[in-house]
Amino acid sequence: MKIIDRIQSGLTLSFEVFPPKSDKPLEPLLDTLEQLYTLRPDFISCTYGAMGSNKGRNLEVVASIQSSGKCEALSHYTCGGNSRQDGLDALADYQSVGVENLLALRGDFPAGVTHTNGDFLHANELIAFIRSQTNAFSLAAACYPEKHLLAESMDADIDALLKKQDAGADFLMTQLCYSVENYLRFLDRARKRGVKLPIVAGVLPLIKKDGLVRMTLSNGCSIPAEVSALVGRYGESEESFREAGHAFTVSLVRRLIKEGANGIHLYTLNRFEDVADLVYDTGIREKPQTNR
Ligand code: FAD
C-alpha cells in the first residue's frame, strides 16, 4: 500500500531504523522490529548510508519489514554516489521485494565532501527521475522546520521544497525540531508560499543528554530554553534526564498532533523500550490490556 493513501485517511505513526553494516548480523534488528510491530505502526523507514557505498543491509531490512505484513516499509534512498543506472537498479530491487514507498534524499555529506558524486545533485532531481521512470512508488521528501543547515535562508529552503513538490513528491517528513514555535513558523511560511503536501513530523525522543547535543548540533537545529533547562536540571543523572525527557517528548508529540501534523515519525534508533512508553503515553496507540 502507498503511504500517501494511509496519510490521507488519518494520523500515521511510524518509526525509523538504521540497517546493520553489510558484514554484521541482521538478527538483533529483526528482533527489535518484531517488538516495534506490536505498536501497530503504519510504516517503518530504514535509512540509507550517506554516499550510497555504505548503505549496509538496507534492502534486506526493508524487504523484511514489507514481507512481515505488519506495516509498510519506506526505504530512504539518496543521490549520494548514485548514477542514473544505479537508480534504475535500486528501483528494480525495491520493487522486487514489494517496497512501494521511498524517501528521496540528497544524502548527508561526510566531512570534506561537497558534491553528491553521482548523477543527481539535489533531491528534486532524484524525485523527477523516479517519476519519469515509474508510478510504482509513493515518494516522500525531507523538510527542515529550522531550515537546512546549508540553506542561505528559510525562503531559499522553501524554494527547494517547492521544487520537490513540483517534481512529484507526495508528502514531506521533517527533520527533528524541539521548538514547536519554530515548527509553526515554518509551517505558516511554507503554506503561504504554496507548499501543499502533507507533513509527517519527525521526533527524536529526548532520552540521553549526549544524544540530544550531538544530533541537534550536527543537524543545525536549535535547543530551546525549555530543553536546556532540562539539561541543566537533570543532566547529571541519566535516569532523571530520561524521565524529564520523556515527559517533554510526550508533550511535544501531543502539541504537534494538535497543530495538525499528518503523522508522527519517531527516530527510534533501533530501540524499543522508550519508544513503547512514548507511543502509549501520547495516546497515539492504546496500551493493550494484560490478562492477570
Ligand atoms: P536537498 O533537497 O537537495 O537540499 C540540500 C540543500 O540544497 C538545502 O540547503 C536546500 O535548500 C538546497 N537545495 C535543494 N534543492 C536545490 C536546488 N534544486 N538548487 C539549489 N539548491 C537546492 N541522509 C542520509 O544520508 N541517509 C538517510 O537515510 C537520511 N535520512 C533522512 C531522513 C529525514 C526525515 C531527514 C529530514 C533527513 C535525512 N537525511 C539522510 C539527511 C539528508 O540527506 C541531509 O539533510 C541532506 O543534507 C539534505 O537532503 P535533502 O534531501 O533535503 O537535500
Side-chain angles (χ1 to χ4, degrees):
M1 183 180 186
K2 295 197 169 153
I3 291 169
I4 185 61
D5 295 330
R6 289 202 177 219
I7 289 176
Q8 276 159 356
S9 62
L11 180 80
T12 58
L13 169 68
S14 54
F15 306 127
E16 179 172 305
V17 298
F18 57 87
K21 295 208 167 84
S22 311
D23 59 347
K24 295 280 186 256
L26 207 51
E27 285 65 28
L29 177 56
L30 296 183
D31 289 345
T32 306
L33 285 171
E34 284 300 330
Q35 294 178 305
L36 290 173
Y37 296 146
T38 64
L39 301 171
R40 292 174 287 118
D42 295 284
F43 64 96
I44 297 182
S45 83
C46 177
T47 61
Y48 188 93
M51 293 303 281
S53 55
N54 56 347
K55 62 189 175 194
R57 304 182 73 168
N58 161 283
L59 184 64
E60 289 164 270
V61 174
V62 288
S64 165
I65 296 168
Q66 195 63 43
S67 69
S68 74
K70 299 282 172 36
C71 67
E72 296 304 312
L74 169 77
S75 187
H76 300 204
Y77 185 72
T78 67
C79 303
N82 285 318
S83 65
R84 283 165 193 275
Q85 188 55 51
D86 292 329
L88 289 175
D89 293 345
L91 294 181
D93 283 344
Y94 289 128
Q95 269 188 288
S96 74
V97 296
V99 170
E100 291 182 87
N101 301 283
L102 299 175
L103 169 57
L105 299 150
R106 186 195 69 180
D108 275 327
F109 286 164
V113 175
T114 55
H115 191 280
T116 59
N117 295 319
D119 284 342
F120 312 102
L121 300 185
H122 285 289
N124 66 294
E125 296 175 20
L126 178 60
I127 293 165
F129 173 74
I130 298 172
R131 281 285 178 243
S132 72
Q133 299 300 316
T134 171
N135 268 328
F137 297 96
S138 176
L139 297 180
C143 68
Y144 302 84
E146 297 179 301
K147 89 172 184 60
H148 183 259
L149 76 172
L150 297 180
E152 280 176 13
S153 64
M154 177 59 87
D155 272 329
D157 211 26
I158 292 177
D159 288 341
L161 220 43
L162 288 166
K163 286 184 183 153
K164 299 189 214 192
Q165 175 171 283
D166 292 346
D170 290 315
F171 65 101
L172 300 172
M173 299 177 71
T174 77
Q175 179 61 278
L176 67 98
C177 177
Y178 289 119
S179 162
V180 178
E181 287 63 38
N182 288 350
Y183 172 85
L184 291 177
R185 209 168 297 133
F186 155 77
L187 201 61
D188 182 56
R189 208 137 146 198
R191 294 301 187 217
K192 282 188 178 138
R193 296 269 327 268
V195 175
K196 297 192 168 64
L197 300 177
I199 299 182
V200 170
V203 175
L204 179 68
L206 210 52
I207 294 171
K208 288 191 173 173
K209 180 181 70 173
D210 294 350
L212 157 76
V213 174
R214 194 176 55 249
M215 295 298 282
T216 45
L217 294 190
S218 65
N219 287 304
C221 303
S222 69
I223 301 182
E226 192 185 348
V227 176
S228 323
L230 295 184
V231 175
R233 226 178 296 157
Y234 305 109
E236 297 310 313
S237 156
E238 220 173 271
E239 200 39 49
S240 304
F241 186 79
R242 180 188 299 269
E243 269 176 39
H246 174 81
F248 171 85
T249 314
V250 168
S251 146
L252 173 69
V253 168
R254 286 188 180 149
R255 278 196 71 191
L256 291 170
I257 294 173
K258 189 161 158 262
E259 298 293 351
N262 294 94
I264 297 295
H265 184 67
L266 298 175
Y267 296 117
T268 43
L269 306 176
N270 296 14
R271 301 172 63 90
F272 170 71
E273 314 84 57
D274 307 295
V275 175
D277 288 343
L278 193 55
V279 167
Y280 295 136
D281 292 350
T282 53
I284 304 180
R285 294 284 186 268
E286 262 180 47
K287 196 169 187 167
Q289 300 294 319
T290 46
N291 294 326
R292 285 165 182 260

